[in-house]
Amino acid sequence: MSRTDSPAGSLNDEAVLLVGHGSRREASNEQVRSLAADLEGRLGVPVDAGFLELAEPTIPDAIDALAPAVANISVVHLSLFAASHVKNDVPAALQRARSQHPEVEFNNGSHLGVHPAIVDLLDDRAADVEADLGVDRAADDVAVVLCARGSSDPDANADVHKLARLLYEGRAFSRVDATFIGVTEPTLDETLHDVAKHRPDAVVVVPYMLGDGVLTGRIREGAAEFDADYPYVEAACGDPLGTDSRLLDVLGDRWQEARTGSVEMSCDTCKYKVELDGYEEDVGGAKAMLRALNHQEAHEDRDDVADDPHAHDAPDRHVAVCTNQTCAAEGAPAVLERLRQEARDADEGSLRVTRTSCLGQCGDGPNVAVYPDGVWYQRVDPDDAGRIVSSHTDRDRIVSDLDSQLL
């Protein structure tokens, strides 16, 4: 039975959109869809999956499919921490959705974050590695290294350290260290070498990842190299979170928070809301992106464009170039100018190029975001501007070697 054919009085006036990042690895995308199906069984309301990038359906497409059949859509994030996607991209997409579907109430939930069920799951992942190594934390000196992706958002990185501390509290590990596979410090290699100085009997590396993707593979490789370099320490890497049913406990809680308007975000330490030392230029990054999308909405296609000198039809695509301090130092102003030149020379006058403040991918710049596609390009050179315009905006072909791959 389709949702539109559902009997009156069912729960189908409410639905959930589970938002995953999206990956070139279809197995990772299937994991999101699997969790969506399991969550639907748990909650008793329709749950669809949508993706930020690299997979279908996109968030707008998923909302368009749900909106005609329901009165309320709650967005639940399958994101481990609140960084740029949670704070910027999804709110921007929902703001557009509210204008396009005014009859639907949208509730935005929070990320997975720090939750007792996740701590319990990480404990079990560590125990599995202990069993494989033949060690026991109660009798042996077992150190744990919890390895996350790493972010340019200090809030997200702080939560990794909080999880590591909660995993240590009340358990017999000799130590639990937080580390990162990219973007920020300490790196996995640095942490493992530091832990080795304390001569534990075993080092358990736990990847704080949802799926077995590219970054999880790098964590496994790092653990294997460490094990080979330090024969006096037993070391091995565990499995990511996967589709463990305990994730449904967390997602269920996040759904309830969203639908009851009780979402709590850490705004007191959000670099987009307050000025933090070292992140002064990042304040307002989300507002800049939201303004760009609002500006597009204010000038949607109309018949009376010629009547107002300022009025103009909305562009088919909006290209935002990060000119924040880090990206500027890497050459973002030159990229911005070349993109504007390429846009002027393009056959179609449907491309708008603007500057924006931090896009949350510091260290990988210059960064360029193409909307509404939701495609982010990293390490863009001025010479790449022509390819972005001619391939992506003119022919709908992503410039794959510049495309950001986060899973």
Side-chain angles (χ1 to χ4, degrees):
M1 183 187 326
S2 70
R3 289 187 182 129
T4 53
D5 296 329
S6 298
S10 74
L11 291 175
N12 283 7
D13 60 341
E14 180 177 1
V16 175
L17 178 62
L18 182 64
V19 174
H21 183 277
S23 172
R24 292 188 182 89
R25 293 170 59 95
E26 189 55 28
S28 295
N29 301 327
E30 280 302 314
Q31 176 186 348
V32 178
R33 299 185 184 104
S34 176
L35 281 170
D38 292 343
L39 187 61
E40 180 170 307
R42 171 74 67 90
L43 302 181
V45 300
V47 179
D48 281 0
F51 298 92
L52 284 155
E53 58 186 11
L54 303 177
E56 300 290 339
T58 63
I59 296 174
D61 288 344
I63 289 175
D64 288 344
L66 284 171
V70 296
N72 185 296
I73 297 176
S74 294
V75 172
V76 176
H77 299 257
L78 193 59
S79 295
L80 296 173
F81 299 111
S84 180
H85 288 314
V86 172
K87 294 178 178 179
N88 293 1
D89 295 334
V90 176
L94 288 182
Q95 186 144 327
R96 289 283 288 168
R98 290 186 180 102
S99 67
Q100 294 173 342
H101 303 283
E103 74 286 357
V104 179
E105 179 183 351
F106 291 92
N107 304 304
N108 190 17
S110 66
H111 53 296
L112 292 171
V114 179
H115 191 284
I118 291 180
V119 178
D120 184 58
L121 176 50
L122 293 172
D123 189 12
D124 281 356
R125 291 289 183 265
D128 290 341
V129 179
E130 290 178 79
D132 291 340
L133 293 176
V135 297
D136 183 350
R137 68 185 79 164
D140 300 303
D141 189 356
V142 177
V144 174
V145 173
L146 179 65
C147 187
R149 177 188 181 273
S151 172
S152 60
D153 192 304
D155 235 6
N157 297 329
D159 275 349
V160 181
H161 286 272
K162 184 174 182 178
L163 266 179
R165 183 66 195 189
L166 289 173
L167 186 60
Y168 173 79
E169 293 283 353
R171 294 172 179 82
F173 298 121
S174 63
R175 59 188 294 158
V176 178
D177 288 68
T179 193
F180 304 94
I181 195 61
V183 183
T184 191
E185 297 176 339
T187 65
L188 176 61
D189 182 67
E190 293 169 344
T191 301
L192 287 172
H193 286 291
D194 182 62
V195 170
K197 297 174 185 176
H198 298 270
R199 298 265 177 161
D201 297 313
V203 175
V204 173
V205 180
V206 178
Y208 192 53
M209 301 281 170
L210 285 167
D212 227 334
V214 173
L215 295 183
T216 303
R218 293 179 188 170
I219 296 171
R220 293 188 190 282
E221 291 171 2
E225 290 172 3
F226 172 79
D227 185 53
D229 290 342
Y230 290 85
Y232 61 84
V233 180
E234 294 288 339
C237 181
D239 292 325
L241 302 182
T243 56
D244 191 280
S245 62
R246 279 166 286 193
L247 288 178
L248 302 180
D249 298 337
V250 186
L251 294 171
D253 284 351
R254 301 301 179 239
W255 169 66
Q256 286 288 4
E257 292 166 359
R259 68 197 295 264
T260 58
S262 56
V263 175
E264 294 185 4
M265 295 289 285
S266 51
C267 293
D268 289 343
T269 52
C270 173
K271 69 175 183 176
Y272 297 112
K273 302 294 189 298
V274 298
E275 187 173 295
L276 297 178
D277 290 345
Y279 296 89
E280 292 85 357
E281 297 298 324
D282 292 356
V283 175
K287 292 181 181 178
M289 184 59 68
L290 286 172
R291 184 205 173 275
L293 295 176
N294 286 337
H295 184 71
Q296 178 174 330
E297 176 187 337
H299 300 287
E300 288 289 0
D301 292 345
R302 302 185 312 281
D303 295 327
D304 61 344
V305 174
D307 296 340
D308 186 336
H310 171 69
H312 50 265
D313 283 340
D316 291 338
R317 286 188 173 88
H318 195 117
V319 179
V321 181
C322 177
T323 53
N324 195 25
Q325 182 175 2
T326 305
C327 283
E330 296 294 331
V335 173
L336 176 69
E337 183 55 37
R338 282 291 296 275
L339 280 168
R340 285 176 169 169
Q341 181 62 51
E342 294 292 339
R344 287 192 292 267
D345 295 341
D347 293 335
E348 302 292 332
S350 58
L351 175 65
R352 195 147 295 128
V353 181
T354 61
R355 67 174 68 230
T356 184
S357 53
C358 187
L359 290 173
Q361 298 297 323
C362 300
D364 293 317
N367 293 291
V368 174
V370 181
Y371 283 90
D373 307 43
V375 174
W376 289 39
Y377 294 118
Q378 296 181 338
R379 301 183 181 88
V380 178
D381 291 327
D383 292 341
D384 296 322
R387 293 196 295 148
I388 292 175
V389 173
S390 64
S391 179
H392 186 150
T393 66
D394 286 353
R395 294 185 294 163
D396 286 323
R397 297 180 180 177
I398 291 176
V399 184
S400 59
D401 60 302
L402 300 176
D403 186 16
S404 168
Q405 181 174 344
L406 302 183
L407 283 184

